[in-house]
Amino acid sequence: MRILFLDCFSGFSGGKLVGALCDLGVKPSALEWELSKLDLGDFHLHFDRPEGEGIRFGIHAGATHTHDQDEHEHEAGCCGGHDHEHEHEHEHHHHGEAEAHEGCCGGHEHHHEVEEHEHEHAEGCCGHDHDHGHEAHDHHDHDEHHGCCGGHGAHGEEETRRLGDLLALLEASDLSPFVKEKSLAIFRRIAVAQANTTNGSPEEIALSPADALASVAQIVGSCVGLEQLGVERVLASPLRGSQLSALVPVILNDQPIEPTGTGEQTISPVGAGILAELATSFAAAPASLVVEKTGYGWGRNKASGKLAAILGSGMAS
């Protein structure tokens, strides 16, 4: 049996999982192709390797990167705040409308050079240009704080998207049965928890455009990655980290979380929804697990930590 063991020694979020799955071998072009099956508008994906180890994933609306996206960074996760902290080093970008690419699923991709640079966050920071062969840009992982079910945005008077509309979008998509079923289940799990805390309807929960995009990318991207790798069972370690959203323990059904000293939120509501839906246990790795490869996924910056994802085989229990 193909097993994915998630070592949540530094929290868990959807962005960390997508990054780790890509580090295990999932092609960014495959994620982009699958996301293009949804009516999300133009978008561009971000991939980089902090400190040369593991992958950090993010997504932004629009075919090109803008200064506004630097200044109004979202961290996907449901009902949180937003953070403007950036620590970015190397980066690889893929865009929602792009050229044909090689690899599984067919589709389209922009290839950009990955270059080292230093990023000082000051009044919009570095200039960005998304022409072919451009310099690498600042990475943004819509990860720990904002996202699904937030009901508010950081960009002022943006039009929100109802969760019911996103569910309908997924239902009508050409995603595989596995990806569609699991993505819908994760969204509904988070939405029901949110609705129960506000006495509202899950379908009427409002998301800002940035939150909706980030949440869809993390949830669908995680399910696509599991399918691409042929994972049959997901296991997770006991949770360690910090969560700043009261929704997290509700989604996790009060699963114990060993607190860490960091002031960063390292367990996001979107991540909690993914774990609650997909992980069948929260315990040490089984002794029978034969390890094939380990991948790492980073949160939005170094302070928010990373996730270790161990791909292997073992006996079903």
Side-chain angles (χ1 to χ4, degrees):
M1 172 177 285
R2 203 86 188 275
I3 293 174
L4 182 70
F5 178 76
L6 303 172
D7 189 353
C8 308
F9 63 90
S10 184
F12 186 88
S13 67
K16 290 178 184 177
L17 178 56
V18 174
L21 293 174
C22 288
D23 202 29
L24 286 170
V26 175
K27 292 178 182 280
S29 56
L31 293 180
E32 184 184 40
W33 174 248
E34 294 302 312
L35 288 172
S36 74
K37 295 178 179 180
L38 300 166
D39 184 15
L40 300 175
D42 290 341
F43 64 86
H44 53 281
L45 306 181
H46 302 257
F47 302 88
D48 72 301
R49 289 187 178 274
E51 300 181 350
E53 177 184 61
I55 293 177
R56 181 166 47 194
F57 166 77
I59 185 170
H60 272 137
T64 59
H65 195 75
T66 67
H67 292 300
D68 185 62
Q69 291 165 339
D70 289 332
E71 296 165 357
H72 299 287
E73 180 55 31
H74 281 65
E75 304 293 352
C78 250
C79 316
H82 58 278
D83 194 351
H84 302 291
E85 183 175 351
H86 303 275
E87 289 186 47
H88 310 307
E89 296 168 8
H90 319 285
E91 184 156 350
H92 191 184
H93 293 263
H94 295 261
H95 295 265
E97 290 192 310
E99 298 173 352
H101 67 274
E102 82 291 344
C104 52
C105 304
H108 51 274
E109 180 178 357
H110 276 298
H111 292 285
H112 302 294
E113 296 177 5
V114 181
E115 301 178 7
E116 289 193 29
H117 69 286
E118 292 185 1
H119 178 169
E120 295 182 3
H121 184 56
E123 299 186 7
C125 309
C126 319
H128 296 314
D129 181 3
H130 279 259
D131 292 335
H132 292 286
H134 73 344
E135 291 184 0
H137 305 204
D138 305 317
H139 169 82
H140 304 284
D141 180 22
H142 303 230
D143 211 356
E144 272 79 12
H145 285 217
H146 238 299
C148 173
C149 318
H152 58 278
H155 300 290
E157 298 180 358
E158 287 188 341
E159 182 180 352
T160 59
R161 300 189 70 170
R162 293 187 313 114
L163 182 63
D165 295 334
L166 290 181
L167 295 177
L169 192 69
L170 288 167
E171 287 276 15
S173 72
D174 292 329
L175 294 168
S176 73
F178 171 83
V179 172
K180 184 182 297 187
E181 175 189 351
K182 294 301 182 183
S183 297
L184 286 168
I186 293 166
F187 262 116
R188 288 182 178 127
R189 181 181 289 270
I190 299 170
V192 167
Q194 168 71 4
N196 287 341
T197 62
T198 59
N199 296 318
S201 166
E203 288 75 18
E204 293 300 320
I205 291 171
L207 295 78
S208 75
D211 294 342
L213 181 63
S215 299
V216 169
Q218 291 180 24
I219 291 172
V220 173
S222 294
C223 295
V224 167
L226 294 177
E227 185 173 56
Q228 291 279 322
L229 294 173
V231 173
E232 299 171 86
R233 188 177 180 195
V234 177
L235 307 175
S237 70
L239 287 168
R240 294 185 71 251
S242 56
Q243 51 84 20
L244 305 180
S245 169
L247 196 58
V248 167
V250 177
I251 297 171
L252 289 170
N253 296 317
D254 293 321
Q255 177 68 35
I257 298 174
E258 181 184 343
T260 58
T262 178
E264 295 284 337
Q265 175 162 282
T266 60
I267 303 174
S268 74
V270 165
I274 292 171
L275 278 180
E277 185 62 35
L278 300 179
T280 59
S281 70
F282 292 87
S288 62
L289 181 64
V290 178
V291 177
E292 299 175 20
K293 187 177 181 180
T294 300
Y296 295 94
W298 285 86
R300 71 190 187 283
N301 56 39
K302 296 172 186 175
S304 56
K306 61 184 177 180
L307 169 76
I310 301 170
L311 186 65
S313 59
M315 300 290 292
S317 60

